[in-house]
Amino acid sequence: MKTEMIDLQTMDEAVRLLQEGEVVAMPTETVYGLAGDATNEAAVRRIFAAKGRPSDNPLIVHVASVEQAHQFVTHIPDVAARLMEAFWPGALTIILESNGTASTLVTAGLDTIGLRMPDHPLALQLIEATGLGLAAPSANRSGKPSPTSSAHVAYDLSGRIAAIVDGGETGIGVESTVIDCTMTPPAILRPGGVTREQIESVIGPVTLDPALSMKDVTPKAPGMKYTHYAPEATLSVVEGDLSFLQQLIDDARQTGHKTGVLLFDGEDVDADVRCFLGNSMETAAQRLYDCLRRFDQTTVDQIFVRDLSEEGVGLAVRNRLHKAAGGRVIRP
């Protein structure tokens, strides 16, 4: 399959492909998504095939309005309506009771469905022009770092999908927050671009789902069951100060390993390859996946990063790092 690169002037082609049941990579404000008609089983199968994604992992359906969200759910409770008013369009996926309109492959056989309205003009334009709810997981091979540019998508999926809509680099850089509004109080199933603190300022206390730290729990949200975001080299999360981090790197180099390190601006640690996350958790979110992919273009085989704070969007960045490390944590 030849993969087209589509710009704003040729969006009609992307619309046609989606309406015909093909899959198209589209930009959102979080990461690039791999979009297909959520009601078309053949299209959804193409999404899973292109990604190499296990079929028991549910997909998010992207909509362009609250009215369109009603097409996929039995009802929208008050707490969800308040979240939609506060954060849609935006990086918040809301889990509600499915009415069965979406393919059962989208919901992975669950009686719930995740919906969000992306805050990106090209994504909204595609949804509105097609008239479809678009199932769209991240547009990368399953398990690898999510794509924050069209070049990342092309590297992973060229020849596997019909087209890529080029919208430049994404803004937030980590996926949407997923919150389950079928329970009381609502539970965050995946931390992301909308913080727990922001959510609680609108609807009051929420919980963090135990599946964030437990294994062998049936996933109700995308990205919760399998190792995700992993670079090719071994990634280790390090507890301790910068001197302990440097010691670990030095020890690895002495045994013949090529080392990489993720740092914040101003942190002085030596390694074979360094990638900087900026000076805030917001810039860390924007740069994280690009850094992990940059390491894949080098010969490093050991990557180290210090553990992060869980405040604000730090909860999401820390979650992605720990999943990329497969739970590998080194303590002093």
Side-chain angles (χ1 to χ4, degrees), residues 1 6 12 19 40 55 71 74-75 81 98 105 116 135 156 184 187 191 200 223 239 243 258 299 305 317 332:
M1 175 185 290
I6 290 175
D12 288 348
Q19 290 176 333
N40 183 326
S55 60
Q71 297 175 17
T74 59
H75 68 289
S98 172
L105 292 172
R116 97 171 180 99
D156 279 8
T184 304
E200 291 186 331
E239 293 182 1
S243 62
K258 291 286 188 179
T299 59
V305 59
V317 181

Side-chain angles (χ1 to χ4, degrees), residues 128-151:
E128 291 168 351
T130 59
L132 303 170
L134 297 179
S138 57
N140 57 295
R141 290 291 286 171
S142 188
K144 293 302 180 184
S146 297
T148 56
S149 71
S150 60

Side-chain angles (χ1 to χ4, degrees), residues 13-24:
E13 178 67 7
V15 172
R16 181 188 67 79
L17 289 167
L18 287 165
Q19 290 176 333
E20 292 179 354
E22 296 292 344
V23 294
V24 171

